Amino acid sequence: MSIPYKTDSLHLINMVIEQLKELKGGAVDETCPIGIISMDNWEWPQGVGLFSLYSFYKTTGRRDILDYIRTWFDQQMAKGLPDKNINTMCPMLTLTYLYEEVGDERYLNLCKEWAHYAMNELPRTTEHGFQHVVSGHSNPGEIWDDTLYMTVLFVTRMGILLQDDTYIQESIRQFLVHLKYLTDPVSGLFFHGWTFEGHHHFANALWGRGNAWYTAGLIDYLDMAVIPEGVRWFLLSSLERQVKSLAELQSESGLWHTLLNDPSSYLETSASAGFAYGILKAVRTGLLDETYKSVALKALAAVKEQITEDGIVQGVSYGTGMGRTLQEYRDIPICPMAYGQSMALLLLVESLNHEIAV
């Protein structure tokens, strides 16, 4: 039986999905060793894309979406996977769910292989943080806020899939270590990264999309795992403090700047979609106070304004490495990206829970 969501919302979602599938490189000169624009590649943007598609499948039961996800993984496995690192781990999150849906043992074996790497072979920083190793760069001694979404969610899922609490405890440690070193004590927002070798936050950038990985990722993390109540309280208090600052920094348009506290930096859609998704879902599930819903709805309207009639999400910044100056963040080019489509898709799918037709 079909679910009676509003037709215009489903039409917009379908357009965003089609553009996600069809994105190709060429909009900008790719600086990442593995292209991060096209869904033909295996990297972190494609991982975010797959998770957003799976979210839509679980909400609507659309089997064609599940078939696309399965075909994507089968083709990538036949082609051969890239080296394991923090970012290439991201697609594995959706593979854990795909295994549960279809029961293909190849998927489980691959998940076990990559989870073993994360737990036993991935380089660690001081205090056992996951070193932010990416394609082409080992980044010794560095932790970045991206890691929680790209790798820790997958580690969490493996603890559930294998019924092994070691993975859950590791996920807790990673959240706590990252929050310990990345939280700005003044604003409650998060710095992009920290180096244990230089003992600094690089450019002290309160980077939008990096913050959005926490806002969006934490709510899904708490959906996945049962963790000690005291830890849960701590993670949620960090979220509420972040969201309080986000509400103060939201632009009149409803979007946020790519440097959250810098109005001279451009407004950025993918971060804004991630914030709105996390806040809206947190309010719906009772994890944030209802007063924050207006912030999310304002952002939702603004994100929709950034989607063209044929479903391309505009105002999205290209992949962003660790900036040594704030100007580097201001200069990141803007172009359609898989994660731009995906963060908007997550938000649009969540919004369906608030507008079921009656």
Side-chain angles (χ1 to χ4, degrees), residues 84-89 117 121-124 130-140 142 144 147 151:
K84 302 177 183 70
N85 61 52
I86 291 292
N87 283 348
T88 56
M89 199 81 61
Y117 165 82
E121 299 173 28
L122 179 66
R124 303 287 184 116
F130 284 163
Q131 181 174 307
H132 197 80
V133 181
V134 299
S135 302
H137 298 280
S138 61
N139 299 319
E142 297 180 18
W144 297 17
T147 297
T151 291

Short mmCIF file of all heavy atoms in Angstrom, two decimals, residues 84-89 117 121-124 130-140 142 144 147 151:
data_model
loop_
_atom_site.label_atom_id
_atom_site.label_comp_id
_atom_site.label_asym_id
_atom_site.label_seq_id
_atom_site.Cartn_x
_atom_site.Cartn_y
_atom_site.Cartn_z
N LYS A 84 41.62 0.97 1.80
CA LYS A 84 40.80 1.29 2.96
C LYS A 84 41.34 2.53 3.67
O LYS A 84 42.55 2.66 3.87
CB LYS A 84 40.78 0.12 3.95
CG LYS A 84 40.26 -1.19 3.37
CD LYS A 84 40.35 -2.30 4.42
CE LYS A 84 39.90 -3.64 3.87
NZ LYS A 84 40.86 -4.20 2.89
N ASN A 85 40.46 3.45 4.03
CA ASN A 85 40.81 4.58 4.87
C ASN A 85 39.53 5.16 5.47
O ASN A 85 38.44 4.59 5.28
CB ASN A 85 41.62 5.63 4.09
CG ASN A 85 40.88 6.22 2.89
OD1 ASN A 85 39.75 6.69 3.02
ND2 ASN A 85 41.51 6.21 1.73
N ILE A 86 39.65 6.26 6.18
CA ILE A 86 38.48 6.86 6.85
C ILE A 86 37.36 7.15 5.86
O ILE A 86 36.19 6.82 6.10
CB ILE A 86 38.89 8.16 7.58
CG1 ILE A 86 39.77 7.88 8.79
CG2 ILE A 86 37.64 8.96 7.99
CD1 ILE A 86 39.07 7.17 9.92
N ASN A 87 37.69 7.77 4.74
CA ASN A 87 36.66 8.22 3.80
C ASN A 87 36.10 7.10 2.94
O ASN A 87 34.90 7.06 2.66
CB ASN A 87 37.20 9.35 2.93
CG ASN A 87 37.24 10.67 3.66
OD1 ASN A 87 36.68 10.82 4.74
ND2 ASN A 87 37.93 11.65 3.10
N THR A 88 36.97 6.19 2.48
CA THR A 88 36.45 5.10 1.65
C THR A 88 35.64 4.10 2.47
O THR A 88 34.96 3.24 1.92
CB THR A 88 37.60 4.35 0.93
OG1 THR A 88 38.56 3.87 1.89
CG2 THR A 88 38.30 5.26 -0.07
N MET A 89 35.69 4.24 3.80
CA MET A 89 34.86 3.40 4.67
C MET A 89 33.39 3.75 4.58
O MET A 89 32.51 2.94 4.90
CB MET A 89 35.34 3.57 6.12
CG MET A 89 34.92 2.49 7.08
SD MET A 89 35.98 1.02 6.99
CE MET A 89 37.56 1.71 7.44
N TYR A 117 39.85 -3.87 9.64
CA TYR A 117 40.82 -2.81 9.37
C TYR A 117 40.59 -1.62 10.30
O TYR A 117 41.54 -1.10 10.90
CB TYR A 117 40.71 -2.35 7.91
CG TYR A 117 41.42 -1.04 7.65
CD1 TYR A 117 42.79 -1.00 7.43
CD2 TYR A 117 40.71 0.17 7.65
CE1 TYR A 117 43.45 0.21 7.22
CE2 TYR A 117 41.36 1.39 7.45
CZ TYR A 117 42.73 1.40 7.23
OH TYR A 117 43.37 2.59 7.04
N GLU A 121 43.83 -2.05 12.24
CA GLU A 121 44.90 -1.62 11.35
C GLU A 121 44.91 -0.12 11.07
O GLU A 121 45.95 0.44 10.72
CB GLU A 121 44.81 -2.39 10.02
CG GLU A 121 44.94 -3.90 10.18
CD GLU A 121 44.67 -4.63 8.87
OE1 GLU A 121 44.91 -4.05 7.80
OE2 GLU A 121 44.19 -5.78 8.94
N LEU A 122 43.79 0.54 11.19
CA LEU A 122 43.72 1.97 10.97
C LEU A 122 44.63 2.68 11.98
O LEU A 122 44.54 2.42 13.17
CB LEU A 122 42.28 2.45 11.14
CG LEU A 122 42.01 3.95 10.98
CD1 LEU A 122 42.26 4.41 9.55
CD2 LEU A 122 40.57 4.28 11.39
N PRO A 123 45.53 3.56 11.51
CA PRO A 123 46.41 4.26 12.45
C PRO A 123 45.62 5.04 13.49
O PRO A 123 44.53 5.55 13.22
CB PRO A 123 47.21 5.20 11.54
CG PRO A 123 47.19 4.54 10.20
CD PRO A 123 45.84 3.88 10.11
N ARG A 124 46.19 5.13 14.69
CA ARG A 124 45.56 5.85 15.79
C ARG A 124 46.43 7.05 16.20
O ARG A 124 47.63 7.05 16.03
CB ARG A 124 45.38 4.93 17.00
CG ARG A 124 44.56 3.65 16.75
CD ARG A 124 43.09 3.93 16.59
NE ARG A 124 42.33 2.70 16.46
CZ ARG A 124 41.41 2.28 17.34
NH1 ARG A 124 41.12 3.03 18.40
NH2 ARG A 124 40.76 1.15 17.17
N PHE A 130 40.81 7.72 15.92
CA PHE A 130 41.01 7.27 14.54
C PHE A 130 41.73 8.38 13.77
O PHE A 130 41.19 9.48 13.60
CB PHE A 130 39.66 6.99 13.85
CG PHE A 130 38.99 5.71 14.26
CD1 PHE A 130 37.64 5.50 13.99
CD2 PHE A 130 39.69 4.68 14.88
CE1 PHE A 130 37.01 4.31 14.33
CE2 PHE A 130 39.07 3.49 15.24
CZ PHE A 130 37.73 3.30 14.96
N GLN A 131 42.96 8.09 13.33
CA GLN A 131 43.70 9.07 12.52
C GLN A 131 42.97 9.28 11.20
O GLN A 131 42.55 8.31 10.56
CB GLN A 131 45.12 8.57 12.28
CG GLN A 131 45.99 9.52 11.47
CD GLN A 131 47.42 9.02 11.39
OE1 GLN A 131 48.04 8.73 12.41
NE2 GLN A 131 47.95 8.91 10.17
N HIS A 132 42.84 10.53 10.78
CA HIS A 132 42.03 10.83 9.59
C HIS A 132 42.82 10.54 8.31
O HIS A 132 43.17 11.45 7.55
CB HIS A 132 41.53 12.26 9.62
CG HIS A 132 40.40 12.51 8.67
ND1 HIS A 132 39.08 12.18 8.96
CD2 HIS A 132 40.37 13.02 7.42
CE1 HIS A 132 38.31 12.50 7.94
NE2 HIS A 132 39.07 13.01 6.98
N VAL A 133 43.04 9.26 8.08
CA VAL A 133 43.72 8.81 6.86
C VAL A 133 42.72 8.87 5.71
O VAL A 133 41.60 8.35 5.81
CB VAL A 133 44.23 7.37 7.02
CG1 VAL A 133 44.96 6.91 5.75
CG2 VAL A 133 45.15 7.25 8.23
N VAL A 134 43.12 9.52 4.61
CA VAL A 134 42.27 9.61 3.43
C VAL A 134 43.07 9.22 2.20
O VAL A 134 44.27 9.02 2.27
CB VAL A 134 41.69 11.04 3.27
CG1 VAL A 134 40.84 11.41 4.47
CG2 VAL A 134 42.80 12.06 3.06
N SER A 135 42.42 9.12 1.07
CA SER A 135 43.09 8.75 -0.17
C SER A 135 44.14 9.81 -0.51
O SER A 135 43.82 10.98 -0.71
CB SER A 135 42.06 8.64 -1.31
OG SER A 135 41.07 7.69 -1.00
N GLY A 136 45.38 9.39 -0.52
CA GLY A 136 46.47 10.30 -0.88
C GLY A 136 47.13 11.01 0.28
O GLY A 136 48.19 11.62 0.10
N HIS A 137 46.56 10.94 1.50
CA HIS A 137 47.12 11.67 2.64
C HIS A 137 46.93 10.85 3.92
O HIS A 137 45.81 10.43 4.23
CB HIS A 137 46.47 13.03 2.81
CG HIS A 137 46.65 13.95 1.65
ND1 HIS A 137 47.81 14.67 1.42
CD2 HIS A 137 45.82 14.24 0.61
CE1 HIS A 137 47.68 15.38 0.31
NE2 HIS A 137 46.49 15.14 -0.20
N SER A 138 48.00 10.64 4.68
CA SER A 138 47.89 9.87 5.92
C SER A 138 47.54 10.74 7.12
O SER A 138 47.02 10.26 8.13
CB SER A 138 49.19 9.11 6.20
OG SER A 138 50.27 10.02 6.36
N ASN A 139 47.84 12.06 7.07
CA ASN A 139 47.48 13.01 8.13
C ASN A 139 47.85 12.52 9.53
O ASN A 139 47.00 12.40 10.41
CB ASN A 139 45.98 13.32 8.08
CG ASN A 139 45.57 13.95 6.76
OD1 ASN A 139 46.26 14.80 6.22
ND2 ASN A 139 44.43 13.51 6.22
N PRO A 140 49.14 12.22 9.75
CA PRO A 140 49.56 11.66 11.05
C PRO A 140 49.22 12.58 12.21
O PRO A 140 49.41 13.80 12.15
CB PRO A 140 51.08 11.50 10.89
CG PRO A 140 51.47 12.38 9.75
CD PRO A 140 50.29 12.41 8.84
N GLU A 142 46.35 13.48 13.32
CA GLU A 142 45.22 14.39 13.13
C GLU A 142 43.88 13.68 13.31
O GLU A 142 43.67 12.57 12.83
CB GLU A 142 45.26 15.01 11.73
CG GLU A 142 46.49 15.87 11.47
CD GLU A 142 46.51 16.48 10.08
OE1 GLU A 142 45.43 16.53 9.43
OE2 GLU A 142 47.59 16.91 9.64
N TRP A 144 39.70 14.66 12.62
CA TRP A 144 38.82 15.61 11.94
C TRP A 144 37.38 15.28 12.32
O TRP A 144 37.03 14.12 12.58
CB TRP A 144 38.96 15.49 10.41
CG TRP A 144 40.29 15.81 9.82
CD1 TRP A 144 41.50 15.88 10.46
CD2 TRP A 144 40.55 16.07 8.43
NE1 TRP A 144 42.49 16.17 9.55
CE2 TRP A 144 41.95 16.29 8.31
CE3 TRP A 144 39.75 16.12 7.29
CZ2 TRP A 144 42.54 16.57 7.08
CZ3 TRP A 144 40.35 16.40 6.07
CH2 TRP A 144 41.73 16.63 5.97
N THR A 147 35.28 12.30 10.59
CA THR A 147 35.50 10.88 10.89
C THR A 147 34.30 10.22 11.54
O THR A 147 34.00 9.04 11.28
CB THR A 147 36.74 10.73 11.80
OG1 THR A 147 37.89 11.20 11.10
CG2 THR A 147 36.97 9.28 12.19
N THR A 151 33.35 6.92 9.30
CA THR A 151 33.82 5.61 9.77
C THR A 151 33.13 5.13 11.03
O THR A 151 32.80 3.96 11.15
CB THR A 151 35.35 5.66 10.00
OG1 THR A 151 36.01 5.77 8.72
CG2 THR A 151 35.85 4.40 10.68
#
